[in-house]
DNA sequence: TTAGATGCAAATCTTTTGCAGTGCG
DNA sequence: CGCACTGCAAAAGATTTGCATCTAA
């Protein structure tokens, strides 16, 4: 789904994007951004922390929270809304949808043809719609298979 | 949007629904369900608690959490996913969408013509889609108006 | 009568904040 | 060098849990 070229582009343009928004390019920010740019796993702040910590052992969870929040406000990341109580981040900013497995909770990206046009934006009185996001809930194959082999 | 007849039906069938799923019909459960069946405001556990407390002063917040979770697992309520960290509940189980104001956070129900058919369920490899939910983000009229009168 | 439900208090989990010290530009 | 950033520790906010008591059936 994610091409190496796309990932490389995002990572290379990061310092410039920081400068143009007045953010300093710190080791912590680079590490966090690069990790998110290269993954499709929609990690939570804690997962980001545990991953980054391997290479940057002095990083703190508070910094991870602050950086993720800044990136989100700058439009570098999107926050994926879920029913659960932990935030999940996604560095793919292009319009796309999400598949959520009700059993294991994994979140997968979903591309739908005529790019970006699904669903159409409806006209609603008394509300100015700016964007939409659609979640498809169901069962991923892994969970469906393990269910089949573990009869109730 | 919500007709009195619909509300009345939901409230009247509640004891029977409880019995058929093995739940006891307690004052607390009745009060919580009736409140949610009659509102369109998608309240959080704390809002449910503060509202119910007026008539049932001895109820505890922990009970509200437990009851909401049971109702959700029984399919009496849906939990509305939001970016924030508090849960929001909705007793309307029919397929519909939500408008979320990025300024005040209000969640409005949205009905889209050919009932229930928007968006169409796509076919995806390795995933069995069971339902979809779409969130439309933007500005409600109230917030748009107050923005206009408070220039940056 | 009794299994299940409630209320309370304490625990847990997630996120935010204040502040002193650090490092990018 | 200066201001923004980080790390730590403590606080705040949301939710869950354990357990003694109560109550619907």
């Amino acid at each position: 789904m994610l091409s190496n070229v796309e990932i490389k582009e995002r990572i290379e343009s990061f310092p410039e994007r920081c400068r143009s928004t007045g953010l300093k390019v710190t080791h912590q920010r680079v590490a966090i951004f690069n990790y998110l740019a290269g993954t499709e796993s929609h990690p939570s702040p804690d997962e980001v922390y545990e991953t980054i910590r391997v290479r940057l052992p002095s990083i703190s969870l508070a910094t991870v929270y602050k950086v993720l929040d800044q990136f989100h406000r700058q439009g570098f990341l999107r926050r994926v809304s879920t029913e659960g109580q932990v935030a999940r981040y996604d560095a793919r900013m292009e319009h796309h949808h999400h598949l959520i497995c009700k059993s294991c909770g994994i979140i997968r990206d979903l591309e739908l043809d005529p790019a970006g046009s699904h669903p159409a934006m409806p006209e609603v009185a008394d509300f100015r719609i700016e964007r939409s996001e659609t979640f498809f809930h169901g069962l991923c194959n892994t969970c469906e298979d393990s269910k089949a082999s573990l009869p109730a």
Side-chain angles (χ1 to χ4, degrees), chain A:
Chain A
M1 279 288 176
L2 267 187
S3 79
N4 287 335
V5 177
E6 287 173 314
I7 295 175
K8 207 179 158 204
E9 263 177 29
R10 279 192 230 157
I11 288 178
E12 283 174 356
S13 65
F14 176 70
E16 179 49 37
R17 296 179 73 191
C18 277
R19 280 180 219 111
S20 69
T21 49
L23 295 181
K24 289 187 175 175
V25 183
T26 65
H27 293 142
Q28 292 86 340
R29 285 179 178 159
V30 171
I32 292 171
F33 185 81
N34 288 3
Y35 168 49
L36 282 160
T39 184
E40 295 189 45
S41 73
H42 309 82
S44 65
D46 197 64
E47 286 160 356
V48 172
Y49 173 61
E50 292 300 339
T51 302
I52 302 301
R53 209 143 81 99
V54 174
R55 302 203 149 262
L56 233 63
S58 71
I59 198 171
S60 75
L61 182 56
T63 296
V64 172
Y65 271 99
K66 286 170 190 167
V67 169
L68 290 173
D69 185 54
Q70 286 158 345
F71 286 179
H72 178 240
R73 278 181 290 128
Q74 295 296 337
F76 293 8
L77 303 176
R78 74 167 75 195
R79 196 138 78 193
V80 182
S81 315
T82 65
E83 288 185 2
Q85 49 289 309
V86 310
R88 302 280 220 114
Y89 291 89
D90 186 347
R92 282 195 67 208
M93 296 304 288
E94 304 83 46
H95 185 264
H96 65 282
H97 303 285
H98 290 105
L99 299 167
I100 302 181
C101 175
K102 67 177 180 184
S103 175
C104 67
I106 198 175
I107 303 180
R108 269 180 52 189
D109 286 343
L110 174 64
E111 226 71 55
L112 289 178
D113 35 304
S117 69
H118 179 97
M121 297 292 189
E123 286 294 326
V124 180
D126 301 333
F127 200 98
R128 196 175 70 209
I129 291 175
E130 294 177 353
R131 66 187 180 88
S132 75
E133 57 178 342
T134 300
F135 297 95
F136 296 96
H137 299 265
L139 272 181
C140 71
N141 255 24
T142 308
C143 287
E144 187 156 21
D145 290 349
S146 66
K147 220 176 169 184
S149 59
L150 289 175

